[in-house]
Amino acid sequence: MFNALNGMGGGGKSSTDVANDANTALAVTFTVCSLVGAPVYNMFGIRVIIPAALAYVLYVGSYIPFNDAFVIAAGAILGIGAGFLWTAQAGIMMSYPSEAEKGKSFSIFWMIFNLGATLGAAIPLANDWNNAASSVKTSTYIAFMVIMAVGACTAVLLLPAHKVIRNDGSPVSLHKFSNWRREAIEVFRLFLDWRMIVLIPLFAGSNWFYTYQFQVYNGGGFFVLRARGLNNLVYWLFQIIGAGVFGLLLDSTRLGGRRARAFIGNTFVLVFIVAIWVGAIFVQKKFNRTSVKAPGFAPMDVFDDGYGPICFLYALFGFADAIYQGFIYWLLGTMTNDIERAARYGGFYKTIQNAANAIASQVDAIHTPFMTELIIVFALNVAGLALTYIVCWTVPEVTVENVDNLIDKAVPITLVGGRPEGEDLAVETSSKEVTSDKHEFA
């Protein structure tokens, strides 16, 4: 729902200035809380998800009275909740599936995630189709808040990780709750992992393009509100298509082993990203910050000549986002099957992503020329994907993590139908991984 509202440009308001400042505040707190989100999740488990998700309701509610300070403060609070929510999400999505189904896992998550955004985009489109104003109605915000609140409360249905069993009979987690000292050490080690360092430009570019797409292309004054709403709808609809297609691609053994699929996936994303940004350059030549404010300028409507191709390009932006984010999650998923480490990888990814997003929001807030913003995100995306080829060389065919020691105490494990019996199991895994076509367990 948040994505649907944000995709309208300016949070559905006529000006993007306050939305940019709120997004900056959100990104700053999101950055910090993503880094500590993994330790919090590893220590307290899924119980952190509900209060984290309810922060989204407060943020949307801040647009009803629309006091600048309130909106910005709500954005900062949302960043705290989002940091905890998305770190938990990353740990769940990357560690719950078996290695052969990690692309499928992303597809299922991303398709449902963006089904919500698609339905959310349909609300303001229907509610404001004949709205001549440049801001959405109060009833639109209320509808978003109700849906968000219901969604947050459904998290009570989630099982603790140690009670979740994969399709192959293996347990998702043998961990007891962690502690601050151990988590602090493990988070510090992320900054010493050369793969994480190499992937920083890729992570940084993963949300940077949102500022250009939402606040410039769709919210920069080139479209009337109705056209912005329709653009928003097809954007999230194509996210669903992109996630479904790309998840199947990354899991397809017909394309070779995991390392081969890593190279194929990286190349596919790179070529697609270059294509959409080249197309965006031609559209961006049609308007700038000055032209959209000039007397007599008529914003484009859905019935105007030339709207179709420009709307379709915006839809392809959504497809590109799905495959870009999907490749990142799949690549991180090849590095570990452990839920604690998956949460830390996800937290590091979100930390870099949102630190960059804070910068991108301010680049737009200082009224940087639209074309300059486009060139910046184009260069960042290409550089990040080019560097990722280095990490693709390290993708193992099978990830096997050594069991080095126990957090608390050793207990005998009795295997019953492939799953361990007993709940009081505590295992700490090292970062060592081996590559092999088959593995044995003693």
Side-chain angles (χ1 to χ4, degrees):
M1 295 298 110
F2 169 82
N3 279 349
L5 183 64
N6 224 29
M8 286 288 293
K13 296 295 184 180
S14 58
S15 172
T16 62
D17 292 342
V18 176
N20 274 329
D21 290 339
N23 283 336
T24 300
L26 186 160
V28 170
T29 53
F30 200 162
T31 299
V32 176
C33 291
S34 292
L35 199 58
V36 302
V40 171
Y41 175 70
N42 289 338
M43 289 189 295
F44 298 104
I46 59 174
R47 68 190 75 174
V48 304
I49 293 179
I50 296 178
L54 288 174
Y56 285 82
V57 181
L58 174 66
Y59 176 77
V60 175
S62 71
Y63 278 92
I64 296 176
F66 202 61
N67 176 279
D68 290 4
F70 183 27
V71 173
I72 294 171
I77 294 171
L78 174 56
I80 297 172
F84 295 140
L85 178 67
W86 278 92
T87 302
Q89 175 271 333
I92 290 171
M93 188 179 70
M94 289 191 289
S95 67
Y96 277 28
S98 63
E99 291 189 356
E101 296 182 325
K102 293 202 173 186
K104 175 184 175 182
S105 174
F106 166 78
S107 291
I108 292 173
F109 163 73
W110 206 259
M111 291 172 74
I112 295 174
F113 170 51
N114 287 292
L115 176 61
T118 302
L119 293 175
I123 293 172
L125 180 62
N127 205 24
D128 298 286
W129 182 260
N130 295 315
N131 184 5
S134 54
S135 299
V136 300
K137 299 175 182 177
T138 299
S139 57
T140 299
Y141 293 112
I142 294 174
F144 273 59
M145 293 173 68
V146 171
I147 295 171
M148 285 175 161
V150 172
C153 292
T154 58
V156 299
L157 302 175
L158 287 173
L159 281 175
H162 70 272
K163 293 185 178 181
V164 179
I165 305 299
R166 297 187 181 98
N167 290 337
D168 61 5
S170 62
V172 163
S173 175
L174 299 179
H175 291 283
K176 299 174 83 173
F177 292 132
S178 189
N179 59 72
W180 279 109
R181 179 180 178 276
R182 176 169 174 269
E183 289 299 326
I185 292 172
E186 293 298 330
V187 168
F188 176 75
R189 286 178 177 172
L190 290 174
F191 291 91
L192 302 180
D193 187 333
W194 70 267
R195 295 173 302 180
M196 295 295 105
I197 303 303
V198 170
L199 291 174
I200 284 177
L202 180 73
F203 295 165
S206 64
N207 264 19
W208 192 294
F209 47 61
Y210 283 166
T211 299
Y212 173 78
Q213 292 170 355
F214 298 162
Q215 312 299 8
V216 177
Y217 193 100
N218 200 35
F222 187 62
F223 300 102
V224 299
L225 182 63
R226 175 167 51 194
R228 284 162 56 190
L230 184 56
N231 293 347
N232 195 29
L233 178 66
V234 297
Y235 180 94
W236 301 115
L237 181 62
F238 270 65
Q239 290 257 8
I240 297 174
I241 298 171
V245 171
F246 204 58
L248 293 175
L249 176 73
L250 293 175
D251 279 347
S252 177
T253 55
R254 294 180 180 180
L255 300 177
R258 285 206 301 183
R259 184 174 300 170
R261 281 176 272 152
F263 280 102
I264 292 171
N266 197 34
T267 302
F268 184 89
V269 177
L270 178 58
V271 171
F272 200 90
I273 284 289
V274 170
I276 63 165
W277 289 140
V278 169
I281 290 175
F282 288 98
V283 176
Q284 192 57 68
K285 290 179 179 181
K286 298 177 181 292
F287 69 101
N288 54 48
R289 290 187 182 275
T290 302
S291 66
V292 296
K293 296 179 180 178
F297 175 79
M300 179 171 280
D301 201 351
V302 295
F303 304 110
D304 292 344
D305 291 338
Y307 170 75
I310 295 176
C311 177
F312 182 67
L313 178 60
Y314 196 70
L316 294 181
F317 287 174
F319 188 97
D321 180 32
I323 64 175
Y324 191 108
Q325 309 270 4
F327 182 68
I328 291 175
Y329 278 118
W330 182 86
L331 189 63
L332 292 176
T334 66
M335 299 179 185
T336 185
N337 293 319
D338 174 63
I339 190 167
E340 286 196 350
R341 189 171 296 118
R344 295 188 196 107
Y345 284 158
F348 184 86
Y349 165 39
K350 297 309 252 186
T351 295
I352 303 302
Q353 180 187 69
N354 288 286
N357 192 30
I359 298 172
S361 292
Q362 285 308 295
V363 168
D364 186 57
I366 61 174
H367 299 136
T368 302
F370 288 160
M371 186 63 78
T372 302
E373 289 193 49
L374 172 56
I375 297 303
I376 291 172
V377 68
F378 193 166
L380 180 60
N381 285 164
V382 170
L385 287 163
L387 287 171
T388 303
Y389 281 112
I390 301 173
V391 179
C392 289
W393 279 110
T394 71
V395 171
E397 298 304 323
V398 176
T399 301
V400 181
E401 292 162 296
N402 276 2
V403 176
D404 287 340
N405 50 46
L406 301 179
I407 297 175
D408 187 14
K409 62 182 180 180
V411 294
I413 300 176
T414 302
L415 291 178
V416 181
R419 59 178 288 185
E421 189 173 71
E423 294 184 1
D424 194 24
L425 303 175
V427 180
E428 179 179 7
T429 58
S430 74
S431 58
K432 182 178 180 181
E433 292 137 5
V434 298
T435 302
S436 64
D437 291 326
K438 59 184 179 179
H439 48 277
E440 299 175 353
F441 297 97

